[in-house]
Amino acid sequence: MEISSFIQRRRELIEKLGNGIAIIPTAPERMRNSDVQYPYRFDSYFWYLSGFAEPEAVLVLIGGECPQSLLFCREKNPSRETWEGMRYGPDVACVAFGFDMAHPISELTPRLPELIANRETLWHSFGHSSPWDAKIVAALNTVRSNRRSGKRPPKQIRDLHSLIDDMRLRKDVSEIDAMRRAAVISSNALRRAMQVCRPGKMEYTLEAELLYEFRRHGGTPAYLPIVASGINACTLHYIGNDRLMQDGDLVLVDAGCEIEGYASDITRTFPVSGKFTQAQRDVYGIVLSAQEAAVAALAPGMPVADFHEAALRVLVQGMIDLKLLEGSLDGIIESKAYRRFYMHRTGHWLGLDVHDVGAYTREEEGEGEEESQKLEAGMVLTVEPGLYIPCADDVPEELAGIGIRTEDNVLIMADGCKIYTSAPKTVEEIEDTMKKAEHERRKYARNNT
């Protein structure tokens, strides 16, 4: 991603600060056990404004008459770099990432009182990081104790994340490009999972294929993959991935990779044997029709709530047709009886976080009432309806244990929307993909015996 994108975002945010100062620390490193760390992942807010991937770093943005962007980061240390890898150091980082100045991270805590003194507003997100909350409070108290020397603390403290959330909701060209690349990799990974799937394999063998496809194209998992076969598909966030897949099962695979910090999020449900039963086809057709109805409701100016309502009506009518529920369509929706089989919303914002930041409602100007957020070009979201039918005495036997979800990533454009995940999705596409893979396996076996 071009450094100019990060510089532009910093400038945009600084203009919103007024005569204020914003403190944005990155995420700390986390220990897994003993002296072994989890793979490091930067804080999304910090990355959005800096493009700097090292730990132990803080971005300070200063508004007003003399706007500045300051980076505080680790100094060069040849001994540590031998073990942990290259560090930019303040001098190189300042130039490479387009900051006005960069300083050693060790200087930040003693300089905090000086930086925040006499500012109109301190922008910080209290509650996000306890250690940083404590440092900010200590700096404020130091400034208060120096009132006699003409220093005063900021007149107000405001939530920084809410300011950045609104910016992050609308993706720029570089962000959309990263998300498109992540979606392509994830779509190919889901296709690969279909091609290698067959009865007698463990769920984790499909997970391994997903991770292989992610890593060989430079991606990392955006979240723990879900590979849920049989009744496991009725557990929304199942991540055990350790069941033996059997003939007659469906397997629900929900997996997405991350490229340059930006996530994809795609789900497909397919038969382990390569062929849907009639009951599975019936349920799958309802879910796919619900997704199509939801996508049709996505366009600039439309309330974001509309696509969920469109999918919900199709799903509830499907529940009635399958004899899972009795009553009128509107009556079931009003009573929320459908939640037994569909208990989540139809999608969410997507970006640096899988469940990305950004409001779904906003206050109507002048009236103080909340209304649904209106869709705008540059917003990206998932569309993921599903049906989850538990095993129960009042559920038709042929439907019991079926869990189906289909999920795609959608970009809102000036003239509508665009789906940019592309793994096989219709019953015919899925069965054809799996049939061709089985044919290739048998051909290979004949030629090597």
Side-chain angles (χ1 to χ4, degrees):
M1 193 171 292
E2 295 291 332
I3 294 303
S4 59
S5 297
F6 300 102
I7 294 173
Q8 178 57 37
R9 292 173 203 154
R10 292 199 293 269
R11 288 174 178 167
E12 183 180 341
L13 181 57
I14 285 172
E15 289 180 4
K16 298 175 184 289
L17 298 180
N19 182 28
I21 183 170
I23 314 290
I24 309 108
T26 196
E29 295 176 292
R30 304 287 186 185
M31 300 305 296
R32 183 179 184 273
N33 61 293
S34 186
D35 60 350
V36 177
Q37 296 170 334
Y38 281 105
Y40 182 70
R41 207 278 187 176
F42 41 74
D43 176 80
S44 294
Y45 291 96
F46 177 85
W47 170 262
Y48 177 74
L49 296 163
S50 70
F52 190 72
E54 291 184 18
E56 297 183 71
V58 178
L59 176 62
V60 176
L61 299 180
I62 299 172
E65 295 181 0
C66 299
Q68 284 186 303
S69 62
L70 313 178
L71 176 71
F72 291 82
C73 65
R74 300 180 301 185
E75 294 185 86
K76 296 290 289 180
N77 185 323
S79 176
R80 296 311 308 165
E81 290 177 56
T82 298
W83 290 88
E84 300 166 355
M86 187 272 291
R87 299 179 178 185
Y88 278 96
D91 293 340
V92 174
C94 183
V95 176
F97 294 90
F99 297 103
D100 294 315
M101 286 189 285
H103 307 281
I105 187 66
S106 59
E107 294 182 8
L108 178 57
T109 299
R111 287 188 59 182
L112 265 179
E114 165 200 338
L115 288 168
I116 67 174
N118 300 324
R119 292 284 161 188
E120 188 73 19
T121 306
L122 170 62
W123 294 87
H124 174 68
S125 294
F126 277 99
H128 186 67
S129 167
S130 296
W132 269 100
D133 289 352
K135 288 181 181 181
I136 295 293
V137 170
L140 287 168
N141 287 334
T142 298
V143 176
R144 292 185 183 111
S145 68
N146 289 326
R147 285 181 183 272
R148 293 180 183 178
S149 61
K151 305 291 185 181
R152 62 167 178 80
K155 292 181 179 179
Q156 56 182 336
I157 299 174
R158 299 188 62 182
D159 179 46
L160 176 62
H161 283 184
S162 62
L163 200 60
I164 305 174
D165 288 352
D166 192 56
M167 294 172 60
R168 284 176 56 182
L169 188 53
R170 299 156 187 83
K171 274 62 180 181
D172 62 29
V173 173
S174 62
E175 292 174 289
I176 291 168
D177 179 66
M179 296 179 73
R180 179 193 57 78
R181 286 184 282 132
V184 169
I185 295 168
S186 299
S187 297
N188 289 337
L190 265 291
R191 185 178 291 106
R192 183 184 183 93
M194 293 178 191
Q195 291 169 336
V196 304
C197 183
R198 57 184 181 272
K201 282 197 166 192
M202 300 296 289
E203 292 169 339
Y204 53 66
T205 62
L206 296 191
E207 180 183 9
E209 299 290 345
L210 297 167
L211 298 178
Y212 170 74
E213 197 71 16
F214 293 169
R215 291 301 296 136
R216 81 188 190 101
H217 291 291
T220 56
Y223 53 95
L224 293 175
I226 295 169
V227 183
S229 63
I231 191 62
N232 289 339
C234 293
T235 301
L236 298 185
H237 288 168
Y238 169 81
I239 55 172
N241 300 349
D242 58 1
R243 179 178 177 273
L244 182 71
M245 297 184 293
Q246 302 172 28
D247 192 12
D249 283 346
L250 290 175
V251 58
L252 185 158
V253 179
D254 185 337
C257 80
E258 180 178 284
I259 292 291
E260 297 186 60
Y262 286 86
S264 57
D265 187 1
I266 176 173
T267 305
R268 293 292 186 267
T269 308
F270 48 93
V272 170
S273 64
K275 193 78 174 174
F276 288 89
T277 67
Q278 187 57 52
Q280 292 167 350
R281 277 176 170 259
D282 292 342
V283 179
Y284 194 94
I286 292 167
V287 174
L288 193 57
S289 294
Q291 191 192 47
E292 290 168 351
V295 171
L298 296 174
M302 297 294 290
V304 71
D306 283 13
F307 85 110
H308 170 69
E309 298 301 326
L312 182 61
R313 296 189 72 83
V314 175
L315 292 173
V316 172
Q317 184 60 57
M319 295 176 203
I320 296 171
D321 295 343
L322 293 171
K323 301 189 180 344
L324 294 171
L325 294 174
E326 294 182 351
S328 69
L329 176 62
D330 290 334
I332 291 171
I333 291 176
E334 184 177 357
S335 69
K336 296 182 170 46
Y338 64 83
R339 286 189 172 177
R340 182 182 178 193
F341 305 106
Y342 182 55
M343 58 292 292
H344 61 79
R345 301 289 291 181
T346 303
H348 53 80
W349 303 127
L350 186 66
L352 281 167
D353 298 328
V354 178
H355 290 187
D356 206 27
V357 299
Y360 292 92
T361 60
R362 62 182 179 83
E363 189 174 293
E364 195 167 2
E365 284 188 27
E367 298 186 15
E369 295 183 3
E370 286 195 339
E371 62 173 12
S372 180
Q373 172 76 261
K374 295 291 196 303
L375 294 172
E376 298 177 24
M379 294 179 175
V380 180
L381 68 167
T382 67
V383 182
E384 50 177 312
L387 281 175
Y388 313 93
I389 307 172
C391 298
D393 293 340
D394 60 344
V395 168
E397 184 178 354
E398 67 275 13
L399 300 177
I402 291 179
I404 293 174
R405 181 167 67 252
T406 187
E407 177 181 22
D408 284 295
N409 304 162
V410 182
L411 168 67
I412 305 300
M413 304 177 69
D415 56 353
C417 68
K418 180 180 181 180
I419 297 175
Y420 57 98
T421 35
S422 59
K425 185 164 60 173
T426 67
V427 166
E428 293 73 24
E429 288 171 344
I430 291 170
E431 289 186 345
D432 186 55
T433 297
M434 300 183 76
K435 182 179 179 180
K436 287 180 179 177
E438 179 62 24
H439 174 75
E440 290 299 318
R441 279 195 295 270
R442 292 180 178 179
K443 181 180 177 181
Y444 178 83
R446 286 196 303 269
N447 294 337
N448 290 274
T449 54

